Amino acid sequence: MTTEDDLYERLATYEGRPAAVAGEGGDPVNAPMIRHWCEALGHPVPADGTAPAPMLQVWTMRGLSTHPGTAGGGSRAGAYDELLALLDGAGCTAVVATDCEQEYLRPLRPGERITFDAVIESVSPRKTTRLGSGHFVTTRMDVRADGELAGRHRFRILKYAPARAPGERPRRPRPVVNRDNAGYWEGVERHELLIQRCSSCGTLRLPWLPGCNTCGSDAWDTLPACGRGTVFSRVVVHHPPFPAFAPPYAVALVELAEGVRLLGGVVGVPYDKVRIGMPVALEFRHADGEPAVPVFRAEV
Amino acid sequence: MTGPGVRTGDVLPELRIPVTRTLVVAGAIATRDFQDVHHDPDAARAKGSPDVFLNILTTGGLVGRYLAGHFGPSAVLRSLRVRLGAPAHPGDELVFTGNVTAVRGTEATVEVLGTLRQGRHVTGTAVVEVGGG
Ligand SMILES: [Zn+2]
């Protein structure tokens, strides 16, 4: 906690310091870049030859700066690079843009030379997001065309430590085992899927419950599933992503031959080829020393 | 739809834009954003994304395209604020909707929403000068 507070104290000292001083656009405003931008985005080309307003920041971009001396706009002030390096050093190595606010005072015309100054407006305390935990950095830029203020621009990035270190395998959620379903999970661990059966009326139930919904009896024994089933219903998960699962993937509600239904992943077939009524066979999967789980293999 | 005809509560017609790999890469390059996650799928995966994704400047430009397409060439964009949500990957479809939330003189405030099947990609607020007619 203390180290985090210390870090934030250091980060906060960058507020108000310059992010770019007397920056210069690599190219003057020009018709080819305007046309290429319009072409890429499907935007109409302005008939009066001016640049579409949302291009404001484009004229200030550093470009492919891996070739020294060829990129434009390379006037980043030391304070901004220092701030980013400090965040890199604290493990916040990844970056994503989150917000952009632009104000357009007048159109930009071909031939105009772009200059800009930017200031580090704020650095947020540590925040935890879906991507990971890190700091939001907001910069504000004044863009001038031939020396005249033409637009303002506020840009926010999140510098963060990815929630998962590269190469580290995220763990799958573990089953919730309690005294009412312990026997079920013990069966799964031995690769046996046990269906509960009411000793009084014979009704089958899955998932396991303490009593029978049909007659109310709490006496039961078990019946091992034969392993045949058909897809009763299915969904494809695209979002939100869970760290251990790579979307998109299919999750099916499978009706077992015995008549009870069970949720599970479907393997052996692409996610978009899982169909209602498709026959499936029960299998058990052990993911790297984690508890076994039932899955269903599509029967082709 | 330009000029004095614009009223608070006006709803903009929906615009559907397929997010292709071509759009992601062409948009990134046209906005001079050479971050590898916008053109190199392997690099994007190494950084935890399933694929390349739209850069913020392309998203902002597409919001601009949506507004320009609706309000026509005589309208002038005064300001544009965009906030990103779920990233847009190749294979996604971006659906823009919008409505006019205020009209002050000749300036209309427009709220724009760009959604994907998996959720909100962008929320935007624009002020558009629609001309006095
Ligand atoms: Zn019973």
Side-chain angles (χ1 to χ4, degrees):
Chain A
M1 203 58 206
T2 319
T3 18
E4 256 178 44
D5 290 347
D6 287 350
L7 173 67
Y8 180 57
E9 218 166 273
R10 289 177 66 196
L11 296 175
T13 63
Y14 286 87
E15 290 184 351
R17 296 181 61 187
V21 177
E24 279 184 41
D27 298 283
V29 178
N30 65 86
M33 279 174 66
I34 293 171
R35 199 178 59 75
H36 293 162
W37 184 93
C38 290
E39 205 172 271
L41 273 68
H43 191 287
V45 182
D48 62 2
T50 60
M55 280 190 81
L56 182 67
Q57 193 182 354
V58 173
W59 309 108
T60 71
M61 293 291 278
R62 194 138 66 154
L64 193 56
S65 48
T66 50
H67 308 298
T70 57
S75 313
R76 209 179 247 188
Y80 192 64
D81 282 339
E82 268 175 51
L83 172 60
L84 297 186
L86 190 56
L87 285 162
D88 280 334
C92 299
T93 50
V95 64
V96 65
T98 60
D99 294 79
C100 173
E101 293 174 31
Q102 299 186 329
E103 197 185 338
Y104 314 111
L105 305 181
R106 71 156 178 84
L108 301 180
R109 302 176 193 93
E112 289 179 327
R113 212 170 60 86
I114 298 298
T115 51
F116 54 91
D117 291 280
V119 65
I120 300 164
E121 198 173 64
S122 65
V123 184
S124 81
R126 189 121 184 151
K127 303 271 186 193
T128 300
T129 73
R130 192 175 48 78
L131 292 167
S133 108
H135 298 265
F136 289 94
V137 177
T138 307
T139 50
R140 195 184 60 233
M141 182 182 279
D142 284 342
V143 180
R144 292 185 166 74
D146 281 351
E148 185 189 350
L149 189 63
R152 288 202 188 87
H153 169 250
R154 180 176 280 127
F155 200 70
R156 186 167 299 128
I157 60 168
L158 173 65
K159 270 291 271 180
Y160 65 100
R164 165 166 43 109
E168 178 193 327
R169 238 187 97 256
R171 307 197 60 185
R172 302 164 70 96
R174 305 171 80 80
V176 178
V177 180
N178 56 40
R179 68 181 175 192
D180 290 327
N181 68 9
Y184 172 81
W185 288 109
E186 283 159 21
V188 167
E189 207 54 41
R190 329 184 273 276
H191 292 195
E192 195 172 32
L193 190 96
L194 296 176
I195 302 168
Q196 251 183 338
R197 177 170 52 195
C198 174
S199 307
S200 169
C201 74
T203 302
L204 299 178
R205 57 183 195 258
L206 195 68
W208 284 24
L209 293 167
C212 175
N213 275 338
T214 305
C215 73
S217 166
D218 63 1
W220 53 270
D221 63 358
T222 59
L223 171 76
C226 74
R228 311 254 134 240
T230 53
V231 174
F232 182 80
S233 176
R234 58 101 177 82
V235 294
V236 174
V237 178
H238 292 272
H239 194 81
F242 293 93
F245 303 97
Y249 54 91
V251 178
L253 180 62
V254 168
E255 184 158 289
L256 300 179
E258 291 80 8
V260 288
R261 294 174 193 156
L262 180 66
L263 280 171
V266 182
V267 300
V269 66
Y271 69 91
D272 56 350
K273 294 289 185 287
V274 178
R275 295 280 178 268
I276 289 171
M278 175 182 268
V280 292
L282 178 68
E283 271 185 15
F284 294 87
R285 279 214 166 168
H286 271 276
D288 288 355
E290 299 199 42
V293 287
V295 296
F296 296 97
R297 176 166 296 279
E299 306 252 86
V300 198
Chain B
M1 276 305 290
T2 57
V6 178
R7 284 173 201 283
T8 303
D10 281 357
V11 175
L12 279 63
E14 184 182 278
L15 174 66
R16 291 175 172 266
I17 299 178
V19 180
T20 60
R21 202 174 292 280
T22 304
L23 175 63
V24 174
V25 175
I29 303 310
T31 56
R32 292 185 50 73
D33 183 343
F34 291 88
Q35 298 262 1
D36 54 14
V37 292
H38 304 308
H39 63 261
D40 180 342
D42 291 333
R45 277 190 285 272
K47 290 177 181 170
S49 287
D51 201 340
V52 295
F53 54 94
L54 284 182
N55 68 324
I56 191 168
L57 292 190
T58 297
T59 298
L62 293 174
V63 175
R65 162 183 161 184
Y66 180 50
L67 295 166
H70 178 70
F71 290 103
S74 66
V76 177
L77 199 54
R78 292 292 179 212
S79 69
L80 178 61
R81 189 169 73 206
V82 298
R83 165 165 290 192
L84 293 190
H89 297 107
D92 288 338
E93 186 183 43
L94 189 50
V95 182
F96 281 111
T97 53
N99 61 295
V100 177
T101 55
V103 177
R104 228 183 211 191
T106 57
E107 284 187 351
T109 302
V110 188
E111 302 287 338
V112 174
L113 193 57
T115 51
L116 306 167
R117 220 153 53 133
Q118 59 269 37
R120 203 169 275 204
H121 168 61
V122 58
T123 46
T125 305
V127 174
V128 184
E129 170 88 42
V130 289

